[in-house]
Amino acid sequence: MSDRTAPQKLLLKALAGEKTASIPIWLMRQAGRYLPEYRKVRADAGSFLDLCYNPRLAEEVTLQPIRRYGFDAAILFSDILVVPDALGQKVAFKEGEGPVLEPITDAAGLAALGPVSGVTKALAPVYETVSRLKASLPSDVTLIGFAGAPWTVATYMAGGRGSPDQAAAKLWAFRDPMGFKDLIDILVEATIEHLSAQVDAGAEVVQIFDTWAGSLPELSFERFALKPVQQICDALHERYPGLPVIAFPRGAGGMAERYFKVTGANGLGLDTGVSPAWAKQHLQPQGCVQGNLDPLLLVAGGHEMRGQASYILSVLGEGPFIFNLGHGIVPQTPPEHVAELVKHVKGWRS
Ligand code: CP3
C-alpha cells in the first residue's frame, strides 16, 4: 500500500478530514443499467453474477462511468450478495425480480454454510478485478472497494429476496437473538476477510453498505447494525492503519451520530432523509460526510436538481465532504443529467 500520511487525491483528502478546494464526487451505482454501454456488456456477459465474476468485463463496466464523467472515484463492480454466494448459499439474480436465495432462518441453515475461510478463495475473480483496476485507473481517481454490512446481507439471506419490511430477518433477530447473532458473527468475519482481500489487491477506500439499517429499533440497531460495523472497522484499522472506511447506515436517522462516533468509520454516507444542516452540526465535526441528493432529482434534472445540489453544497461544502446521492442511481436516469450534475458540482465554489 502507498504512503497514507499525505493524500494527494481529492477523495482521500476529504476522508482525511480536509476541506478540499473543489468537491469530490462519485455516485452510488454509477455503473449500471442507465448506461447504454453497460447494457451492452451485460447482455453479452450471461447472468449478472457471471458479469461480477468476469474480471475483464467487471473492470470494463467499472471504468465506463469514469470515462464518461471523470468521477473522482471508481467503485469496484460487484455486489453485496457475492458473500452469501461464496459461503455456499447460492444466489441467482432473476430478470425483473432481483436477487433470489434459498432462505436461511435457523441454526440448521447456518450449519449447512461453508467455512468463512473459503470466501476469499471463491471470490478470487473479484480481487483480480480490483488489481486490474488499480493498474488501469487514471492516477487521480480513487478506487473504492465495498461490502454489504452484516445486517443488510442477513436480510437477504433470511428473506431469500428483497422485501419492503425485512420481516424474516427481524423476526429471527427478535425471537432468537442469540441464534441470529451467530449469522451476524459469520458475516462479520467473512466481511473482514473480503474487504481485506480487496485492500490487498489495491482498493484505497472501502464502503460498507447498510441499506436496511433504518428498519431496526434502537436496541437491535445497536446490536446488529452498529456493533458489527464497529468490529469490521476496528479489524480493518488494525490491519491497515489509516485505511479510510465509509459507512452508509441508510435510514439510521438520529442514531447516525452515535453510529459515526462509535464505529470509528472515517466517512459517513447520508441518505436523502438526513438534513444537511443537522449533519453539518452533528456529523461533520466527527469527520467527512458523503451524500445526499435524492436519486429522483437526478432523473428530473434541470433547475430543481441544480438548486437542491447547490443547497447541499452550500451547507456541507465548508467542511470535509464528498458529493453523492442519498441512494443509488435508478435505471431510468438520463445519462446527460449525470454529466450536468458533475459539471455543476465541479464548478461550485463556496
Ligand atoms: O455502485 C456501483 O456502481 C457498484 C456496483 C454495485 C452493485 N450493487 C451492482 C448491481 C454495488 C455497490 C451494489 C450494492 C448493493 N447490492 C446493495 C447496497 C446498495 C443499495 O443499492 O442499497 C444492495 C442492497 C445490493 C443487492 C442487489 N443487487 C439488489 C437488491 C439488486 C436488484 C435490484 C436492482 O437494482 O436490480 C441487485 C442487482 C444489481 N447490483 C445491479 C447492479 C448494476 C442490477 C442488475 C443487472 O444489471 O441486471
Side-chain angles (χ1 to χ4, degrees), residues 50-60 124-126 128-129 132:
D50 288 338
L51 175 54
C52 291
Y53 295 147
N54 181 320
R56 189 177 58 79
L57 296 183
E59 177 195 15
E60 167 58 22
V126 175
E128 192 190 327
T129 307
R132 294 175 73 114

Side-chain angles (χ1 to χ4, degrees), residues 80-110:
I80 65 168
L81 298 178
V82 298
V83 168
D85 195 54
L87 282 168
Q89 185 185 17
K90 288 290 162 250
V91 179
F93 284 83
K94 303 228 164 119
E95 227 41 71
E97 248 188 272
V100 181
L101 308 80
E102 190 60 45
I104 292 177
T105 51
D106 57 19
L110 291 184

Side-chain angles (χ1 to χ4, degrees), residues 235-292:
L236 290 174
H237 284 144
E238 195 178 313
R239 288 183 189 184
Y240 309 101
L243 173 74
V245 180
I246 304 170
F248 177 51
R250 182 169 162 263
M255 297 185 283
E257 189 176 1
R258 177 176 152 74
Y259 180 98
F260 197 11
K261 222 174 256 152
V262 175
T263 56
N266 307 82
L268 197 77
L270 314 179
D271 62 80
T272 301
V274 178
S275 147
W278 181 85
K280 181 188 173 88
Q281 195 181 350
H282 294 272
L283 303 176
Q284 218 171 22
Q286 298 177 52
C288 182
V289 296
Q290 170 179 285
N292 72 343

Side-chain angles (χ1 to χ4, degrees), residues 192-208:
I192 291 168
E193 295 312 318
H194 181 45
L195 289 174
S196 295
Q198 292 177 50
V199 175
D200 290 340
E204 300 162 282
V205 171
V206 294
Q207 174 153 324
I208 302 169

Side-chain angles (χ1 to χ4, degrees), residues 26-34 38-39 42 47-48 51-52 61-62 65 75-81 93-99 144 146-148 152-153 155-156 161-162 207 209-212 248 250 327-331:
W26 69 281
L27 302 177
M28 292 187 280
R29 289 283 184 98
Q30 65 191 21
R33 287 164 294 188
Y34 76 106
Y38 170 85
R39 293 197 299 270
R42 173 77 175 77
S47 74
F48 173 69
L51 175 54
C52 291
V61 294
T62 305
I75 182 161
L76 162 71
F77 189 86
S78 176
D79 198 81
I80 65 168
L81 298 178
F93 284 83
K94 303 228 164 119
E95 227 41 71
E97 248 188 272
I144 304 177
F146 74 94
T152 286
V153 175
T155 65
Y156 291 95
R161 54 183 62 238
Q207 174 153 324
F209 287 88
D210 213 347
T211 301
W212 301 116
F248 177 51
R250 182 169 162 263
H327 198 190
I329 295 183
V330 295

Side-chain angles (χ1 to χ4, degrees), residues 207-226:
Q207 174 153 324
I208 302 169
F209 287 88
D210 213 347
T211 301
W212 301 116
S215 68
L216 288 171
E218 186 167 11
L219 298 181
S220 307
F221 176 89
E222 184 80 17
R223 193 165 176 192
F224 298 125
L226 183 152

